[in-house]
Amino acid sequence: SGLSDHRAAEQAVARVRDLVQAVGVPTRLAPLGVRPDDLDRIAQQSLTSSSLQHNPRRLDHDDVVVILRDAM
């Protein structure tokens, strides 16, 4: 369609956001019952996750906690 890679990526992100909103998927952790005191345990358990192992950027426990906090 002649879109630049950047513009195509922006449109894809917008469509995923629209889909998430349309089907009512929570976009934050708190509505799912996650509490701030759960984050350390979740981060620890995620370190052995195969999806985390294949992440292009290596993350340690503290990195994961920061991501989880941002998602609260």
Side-chain angles (χ1 to χ4, degrees), residues 28-72:
R28 313 304 294 166
L29 294 174
L32 297 171
V34 176
R35 299 179 321 259
D37 57 323
D38 296 327
L39 301 185
D40 188 61
R41 179 181 47 80
I42 294 170
Q44 189 61 41
Q45 290 174 345
S46 72
L47 292 176
T48 59
S49 166
S50 63
S51 59
L52 189 61
Q53 298 301 316
H54 296 1
N55 193 50
R57 181 173 166 238
R58 190 158 181 84
L59 301 174
D60 64 19
H61 178 270
D62 292 339
D63 295 325
V64 176
V65 170
V66 168
I67 292 167
L68 292 169
R69 272 195 201 117
D70 288 347
M72 286 298 294

Side-chain angles (χ1 to χ4, degrees), residues 17-34:
R17 284 187 178 139
D18 291 345
L19 176 62
V20 165
Q21 184 177 6
V23 298
V25 175
T27 58
R28 313 304 294 166
L29 294 174
L32 297 171
V34 176

